[in-house]
Amino acid sequence: MAKNKGELTYIEDDSKRKTTCKKRKASLVKKMNELTTLCGIEACAIIYDPNESQPEVWPSHPEVQRLISKLMEMPEMEQKKYMFNHESFLSKNLNKARDQLKRVRDENKRMEMELFMFQCLNVGCIINTSNTVDTNYLLFVINQTIKDIQWKESRHQRQHGTVVVAASTEEPLNEEVANVHEMEQANMGAMQLQDWSSDSTNDGGNMMLPFGDNSNFSSGFWPSPSFP
Amino acid sequence: MAKNKGELTYIEDDSKRKTTCKKRKASLVKKMNELTTLCGIEACAIIYDPNESQPEVWPSHPEVQRLISKLMEMPEMEQKKYMFNHESFLSKNLNKARDQLKRVRDENKRMEMELFMFQCLNVGCIINTSNTVDTNYLLFVINQTIKDIQWKESRHQRQHGTVVVAASTEEPLNEEVANVHEMEQANMGAMQLQDWSSDSTNDGGNMMLPFGDNSNFSSGFWPSPSFP
DNA sequence: GTTTCTATGTTTAGATG
DNA sequence: GCATCTAAACATAGAAA
């Protein structure tokens, strides 16, 4: 504590406490970011600040959920293993249970990825992919979504023009990804990008989405969308 | 980072990383203690350090459990509200006031577009683009998003493989769109998508939300996002 | 209420026992 | 590996804008 020389007691003054809290929360989050980035470890934090309407989590809600799950799962899994080893009559159901578990896991993973994808799109970037999400699966989900978009969009080409979004790797493993390029060729339309950043006045009104107060979106989540 | 001047990247050297990790974990915990004490708020942290056999929790396991329960009781749709805002500690950078107005305007426009883009993905088609949105700008946003994805993704190629997502029109007018193809070329790596649905044992468990019989955790934080 | 500034205390990467 | 030391960078309480 600068200028306070180690006085580690509750700050009675409301204003001072609030200010300090805000500053220190920011610093703490920065420190967590540094720790996880520099050392490549996983960490999360939950902070309940009465000054905020909602608890603050770091680095993101899905990641916190994942780490919490990881924490909660540890003792349970050992317990299960123990039980399976000792209750022989359960062993005949083992394969069945495993399949079930796998299905549930896949479903959870899918939901997590879809939620994550939503958040990425909402914020505009991939959020803290280091050590947090299965990027391969995320890409699978994105490709699936893109495929849906393309399929549905193709029914409206004549009305609205065409937009193509494509995902690729060096060696696309599935048909969907491969077809992306074909569609990209086929759908080359007559559209041009305008300079969106100019001060043109003919677009602002159309840009507004009728969601009223946009403040929800200004308090996004962490890490930053890093808009250029 | 003393003597390291803001180089916020993974420390490759094992010994250095381990030492830094230990020091910084201690500092982080100290900071959390100061924050909670000085400001009288509740907070907890979970840290997974591969160097440690057990995950480290702060301030204590029961307290972490209690705060997690508190968090889990919140409705999912309000996630956005309690995410940290990266800008709170990163935006202290240079020439901020210079083009603040323009940035805010662009930001609003971009957020509207991103939200719109999400809605498109969520619904599965481009929604009534005529008379509602600037399609050209939508493409720009998509490209920006893609660019961000690529940039972030490129930092993890070795771990997860490479994917390039691209959007194009017949005549891309800006650098971003043009660069998409360059990056597509540049990022052609040696990676392949893995079969995400395989029985790999290193990820499935983390996806499970093992709240099971604990009513605190089963009280609803993971409702299905109802995707198509 | 917020942001900016700054003097001063704290953290920390690297070096050394 | 673990403690101690140190210069450099950082964090921050208080004040001012």
Side-chain angles (χ1 to χ4, degrees):
Chain A
M1 286 140 269
K3 294 190 176 181
N4 198 16
K5 262 196 168 177
E7 211 178 318
L8 191 53
T9 49
Y10 180 74
I11 301 170
E12 299 287 350
D13 182 80
D14 280 12
S15 180
K16 281 186 184 178
R17 188 177 64 254
K18 201 173 172 182
T19 307
T20 296
C21 190
K22 203 161 194 170
K23 287 180 177 178
R24 278 176 174 270
K25 274 194 301 180
S27 294
L28 182 69
V29 166
K30 186 180 175 186
K31 289 289 183 192
M32 290 210 75
N33 183 46
E34 291 177 356
L35 172 62
T36 53
T37 304
L38 289 171
C39 304
I41 69 175
E42 294 179 331
C44 67
I46 308 170
I47 302 176
Y48 292 91
D49 181 0
N51 304 313
E52 304 293 333
S53 60
Q54 298 290 339
E56 292 153 292
V57 298
W58 188 95
S60 70
H61 205 283
E63 177 65 355
V64 170
Q65 285 246 354
R66 193 179 67 79
L67 295 183
I68 288 172
S69 302
K70 199 171 170 180
L71 181 69
M72 296 300 169
E73 195 172 56
M74 301 181 102
E76 268 194 32
M77 291 307 278
E78 291 189 3
Q79 220 175 16
K80 282 176 185 172
K81 199 196 288 182
Y82 183 81
M83 284 182 63
F84 273 123
N85 288 341
H86 288 270
E87 303 289 341
S88 60
F89 70 91
L90 286 179
S91 64
K92 48 186 166 184
N93 292 328
L94 185 56
N95 286 335
K96 191 177 171 184
R98 275 184 183 153
D99 290 342
Q100 219 165 8
L101 179 64
K102 182 182 178 307
R103 279 200 301 274
V104 174
R105 280 177 171 172
D106 288 345
E107 180 66 11
N108 276 338
K109 197 168 178 177
R110 188 184 70 84
M111 288 195 298
E112 186 182 47
M113 279 300 144
E114 282 169 344
L115 181 59
F116 180 75
M117 181 173 66
F118 153 68
Q119 291 170 329
C120 291
L121 290 172
N122 203 20
V123 172
C125 73
I126 294 288
I127 307 151
N128 189 27
T129 52
S130 59
N131 302 325
T132 60
V133 296
D134 184 337
T135 310
N136 289 315
Y137 182 60
L138 173 60
L139 293 170
F140 175 84
V141 173
I142 290 174
N143 276 310
Q144 284 293 105
T145 308
I146 286 167
K147 190 186 165 193
D148 282 344
I149 290 173
Q150 292 171 331
W151 188 80
K152 303 218 177 174
E153 172 63 13
S154 66
R155 299 188 303 187
H156 302 285
Q157 285 185 17
R158 279 169 299 193
Q159 290 179 355
H160 304 297
T162 301
V163 171
V164 177
V165 182
S168 70
T169 62
E170 186 178 27
E171 296 179 341
L173 295 187
N174 58 42
E175 198 180 349
E176 290 72 28
V177 173
N179 284 340
V180 158
H181 297 296
E182 298 178 23
M183 299 186 68
E184 190 172 353
Q185 296 295 326
N187 286 329
M188 286 293 194
M191 281 199 296
Q192 293 187 350
L193 285 177
Q194 295 168 352
D195 180 14
W196 61 273
S197 62
S198 67
D199 276 324
S200 61
T201 55
N202 65 335
D203 53 1
N206 293 339
M207 286 302 148
M208 284 297 295
L209 291 174
F211 288 87
D213 185 9
N214 280 335
S215 63
N216 281 346
F217 303 109
S218 63
S219 64
F221 49 86
W222 200 98
S224 161
S226 70
F227 297 133
Chain B
M1 285 138 272
K3 295 190 175 183
N4 199 15
K5 258 198 167 175
E7 210 177 321
L8 190 53
T9 49
Y10 179 73
I11 300 170
E12 300 287 348
D13 183 78
D14 280 11
S15 179
K16 282 186 182 177
R17 188 177 64 253
K18 202 172 172 182
T19 307
T20 296
C21 191
K22 202 158 196 174
K23 286 180 177 179
R24 277 177 174 269
K25 274 195 300 181
S27 295
L28 183 68
V29 165
K30 185 182 175 187
K31 289 289 182 192
M32 290 209 75
N33 183 48
E34 291 177 357
L35 172 62
T36 53
T37 304
L38 290 170
C39 305
I41 69 176
E42 293 178 332
C44 69
I46 308 170
I47 302 174
Y48 292 91
D49 181 0
N51 303 314
E52 303 294 334
S53 59
Q54 297 289 332
E56 295 153 291
V57 297
W58 188 95
S60 67
H61 204 282
E63 178 68 355
V64 169
Q65 285 233 353
R66 191 178 66 79
L67 296 183
I68 287 172
S69 303
K70 207 170 164 179
L71 180 69
M72 292 303 168
E73 284 166 5
M74 317 217 121
E76 179 228 2
M77 291 311 287
E78 298 190 23
Q79 279 184 42
K80 291 197 296 284
K81 293 180 184 174
Y82 44 87
M83 297 296 181
F84 262 110
N85 187 357
H86 199 202
E87 290 175 347
S88 60
F89 66 89
L90 278 189
S91 65
K92 294 175 181 176
N93 288 343
L94 29 98
N95 48 16
K96 192 168 151 189
R98 193 180 57 181
D99 48 2
Q100 201 168 18
L101 180 62
K102 182 178 182 308
R103 284 212 333 253
V104 170
R105 206 165 50 202
D106 291 347
E107 183 93 349
N108 279 336
K109 197 168 175 178
R110 190 188 165 88
M111 284 194 294
E112 288 156 14
M113 276 299 129
E114 281 164 355
L115 181 57
F116 179 75
M117 183 168 63
F118 156 67
Q119 291 171 327
C120 293
L121 289 171
N122 200 22
V123 172
C125 68
I126 298 290
I127 308 158
N128 188 25
T129 52
S130 58
N131 300 328
T132 57
V133 296
D134 184 339
T135 309
N136 289 316
Y137 183 62
L138 175 60
L139 288 173
F140 176 85
V141 172
I142 290 173
N143 275 306
Q144 282 296 102
T145 305
I146 285 162
K147 206 177 164 191
D148 281 335
I149 290 173
Q150 291 172 331
W151 188 79
K152 304 251 172 168
E153 171 63 14
S154 66
R155 299 190 303 185
H156 305 284
Q157 287 184 13
R158 280 170 298 192
Q159 292 180 353
H160 303 298
T162 301
V163 164
V164 177
V165 185
S168 69
T169 62
E170 187 176 23
E171 295 180 342
L173 293 188
N174 58 40
E175 201 179 349
E176 287 71 27
V177 172
N179 283 342
V180 160
H181 298 294
E182 296 177 24
M183 297 186 71
E184 191 171 355
Q185 296 294 327
N187 284 332
M188 288 293 194
M191 308 300 176
Q192 295 186 352
L193 285 176
Q194 295 169 353
D195 180 13
W196 58 273
S197 62
S198 68
D199 273 323
S200 59
T201 54
N202 61 339
D203 57 356
N206 293 341
M207 292 302 160
M208 282 289 291
L209 291 176
F211 299 136
D213 55 350
N214 187 336
S215 60
N216 281 339
F217 300 116
S218 62
S219 64
F221 190 70
W222 200 267
S224 172
S226 76
F227 287 87

